[in-house]
């Protein structure tokens, strides 16, 4: 087994402190949750007895997140879990939960793959390219105005936009100039 495939071994001392054997330091439950979120497998064992305590600590991590309001498990699921400990159904529940989570993870992965491979639906819209160019020209004209060069000025970013932007940019500059003229008339 390679180092990547071996679970991270955490030892619990008699003082209940948790010791990371890889980094030779003490860790908290939140650290362990972080290892798991990063994709590491974790095994927690009692130093003295050698008992595997992983399940107990994972349940404690879940309980702490739930108590902080990070509710993932609905009340009815928690209730059904408690019931499953006292019924004959307990032998089916672990397999059902494992299969359900696997299906959920597969579904999420497939959804993310599908979303990444889908083209932008807006790009199929007629006139999208023209609208995108107009937005870019408008933003260029606006930033030119903020830097001190107003539309119609012969230097700075607005002049560069005239060369590249074409009629759309000129129309926007004209509109901005008209708005500026109207604003000047409104001043007392």
């Amino acid at each position: 087994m390679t180092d990547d495939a071996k679970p991270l071994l955490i030892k619990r001392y008699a003082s209940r402190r948790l010791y990371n054997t890889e980094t030779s330091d003490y860790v908290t439950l939140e650290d362990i949750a972080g290892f798991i979120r990063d994709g590491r497998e974790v095994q927690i064992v009692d130093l003295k007895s050698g008992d595997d305590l992983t399940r107990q600590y994972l349940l404690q991590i879940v309980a702490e997140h739930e108590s902080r309001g990070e509710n993932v498990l609905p009340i009815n699921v928690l209730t059904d879990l408690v019931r499953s400990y006292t019924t004959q159904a307990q032998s089916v529940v672990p397999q059902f939960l494992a299969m359900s989570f696997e299906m959920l993870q597969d579904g999420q992965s497939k959804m993310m793959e599908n979303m990444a491979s889908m083209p932008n639906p807006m790009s199929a819209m007629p006139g999208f390219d023209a609208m995108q160019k107009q937005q870019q020209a408008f933003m260029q004209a606006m930033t030119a105005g903020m830097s001190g060069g107003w539309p119609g000025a012969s230097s700075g970013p607005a002049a560069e936009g005239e060369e590249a932007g074409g009629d759309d940019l000129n129309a926007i500059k004209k509109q901005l100039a008209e708005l500026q003229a109207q604003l000047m008339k409104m001043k007392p």
Side-chain angles (χ1 to χ4, degrees):
M1 214 191 282
T2 65
D3 286 343
D4 294 340
K6 284 195 302 188
L8 171 61
L9 181 61
I10 305 290
K11 293 182 180 180
R12 184 185 77 171
Y13 285 91
S15 64
R16 298 204 180 273
R17 291 189 73 183
L18 300 169
Y19 185 77
N20 181 341
T21 59
E22 271 186 13
T23 59
S24 301
D25 62 347
Y26 291 102
V27 294
T28 65
L29 281 179
E30 194 55 41
D31 294 330
I32 293 171
F35 299 144
I36 293 168
R37 281 190 291 271
D38 291 341
R40 290 292 307 264
E41 292 294 322
V42 174
Q43 182 181 17
I44 304 169
V45 296
D46 184 85
L47 181 66
K48 187 174 182 182
S49 69
D51 291 342
D52 189 344
L53 305 172
T54 307
R55 180 183 309 272
Q56 171 187 334
Y57 278 95
L58 293 178
L59 286 169
Q60 189 173 347
I61 290 169
V62 169
E64 283 191 13
H65 282 276
E66 290 286 324
S67 71
R68 284 187 253 159
E70 301 171 27
N71 301 328
V72 172
L73 300 169
I75 293 291
N76 60 339
V77 171
L78 293 171
T79 303
D80 288 343
L81 278 172
V82 170
R83 282 188 189 117
S84 74
Y85 282 97
T86 59
T87 66
Q88 295 298 332
Q90 78 184 44
S91 63
V92 177
V93 172
Q95 292 92 0
F96 173 76
L97 288 174
M99 287 175 35
S100 297
F101 273 105
E102 284 178 29
M103 287 174 52
L104 176 66
Q105 288 173 335
D106 288 344
Q108 284 179 332
S109 296
K110 287 178 184 173
M111 185 177 72
M112 294 306 288
E113 287 172 13
N114 289 341
M115 288 183 71
S117 67
M118 276 194 320
N120 183 352
M122 293 292 289
S123 64
M125 207 171 81
F128 178 75
D129 290 335
M131 183 175 72
Q132 199 172 27
K133 287 178 186 174
Q134 188 174 13
Q135 285 177 336
Q136 290 172 348
F138 178 74
M139 290 305 294
Q140 236 178 0
M142 289 301 293
T143 55
M146 290 179 190
S147 64
W150 288 98
S154 59
S155 63
E160 293 169 14
E162 282 176 9
E163 296 169 8
D167 295 333
D168 290 337
L169 183 57
N170 290 332
I172 291 171
K173 287 180 181 181
K174 182 179 177 184
Q175 289 174 350
L176 285 173
E178 290 171 2
L179 285 172
Q180 183 182 12
Q182 287 177 355
L183 284 173
M184 295 305 251
K185 288 179 187 175
M186 294 173 77
K187 286 187 177 179

